[in-house]
Amino acid sequence: MKTTIKNAYFRFNKLLETMEQGPSFPKLDDIERKLLNSIAEASLDGKPFLISDVIFANSIGSPATLSRRLTNLVNKELIVYSSDGDNRKKFLELTPKSKKYFAKLDELINAASAKKTR
């Protein structure tokens, strides 16, 4: 039987739900997940991700909500704040823990899309 995208998607969701129950997997709400994904995408593209870009130019929440969620991501050790040489610009960067998180997601996607053996 040929594996379809639909089946791979549902297998991925099931694997993700199982992983999210584990103690080492970070618990993220939807806004935190979207923020972390945005930071990771910018990082993957080699672009600096300014805090002001997140807070003032983002459609996923109000500045106050996004600020709280960024604090949550820092407290969960998934991002860190950094600054340029003269501290005028503040950036968001991924931590080793968040890079591990994305590596695990990559593993889940690969596992879900692999052909099932019977």
Side-chain angles (χ1 to χ4, degrees), residues 35-44 46-52 54 70 72-85 89-100 102:
L35 283 171
L36 189 59
N37 286 341
S38 295
I39 296 163
E41 286 174 19
S43 178
L44 186 62
K47 299 176 186 173
F49 206 73
L50 293 168
I51 293 173
S52 59
V54 174
L70 288 175
N72 290 349
L73 291 173
V74 169
N75 291 339
K76 293 176 183 182
E77 300 176 349
L78 295 169
I79 62 170
V80 292
Y81 296 112
S82 65
S83 60
D84 61 359
K89 292 182 181 178
K90 297 199 184 223
F91 302 95
L92 298 166
E93 295 180 359
L94 298 176
T95 64
K97 184 176 180 178
S98 61
K99 291 175 184 177
K100 227 171 143 176
F102 284 109

Side-chain angles (χ1 to χ4, degrees), residues 7 9 11 15 18 33 40 45 48 61 69 79 82 86 89 94 106:
N7 291 334
Y9 172 76
R11 281 196 305 277
L15 289 169
T18 302
R33 188 173 287 111
D45 291 340
R69 293 315 198 286
I79 62 170
S82 65
D86 60 6
K89 292 182 181 178
L94 298 176
D106 191 52

Side-chain angles (χ1 to χ4, degrees), residues 3-22 24-26 28 33 37 98-116:
T3 301
T4 65
I5 292 174
K6 176 181 158 188
N7 291 334
Y9 172 76
F10 289 113
R11 281 196 305 277
F12 170 73
N13 263 352
K14 189 149 190 80
L15 289 169
L16 182 59
E17 286 175 10
T18 302
M19 288 303 302
E20 286 176 334
Q21 302 305 313
S24 64
F25 212 76
L28 303 172
R33 188 173 287 111
N37 286 341
S98 61
K99 291 175 184 177
K100 227 171 143 176
Y101 166 78
F102 284 109
K104 190 61 180 174
L105 288 178
D106 191 52
E107 287 176 27
L108 295 179
I109 290 168
N110 288 329
S113 63
K115 281 188 174 181
K116 287 180 117 176

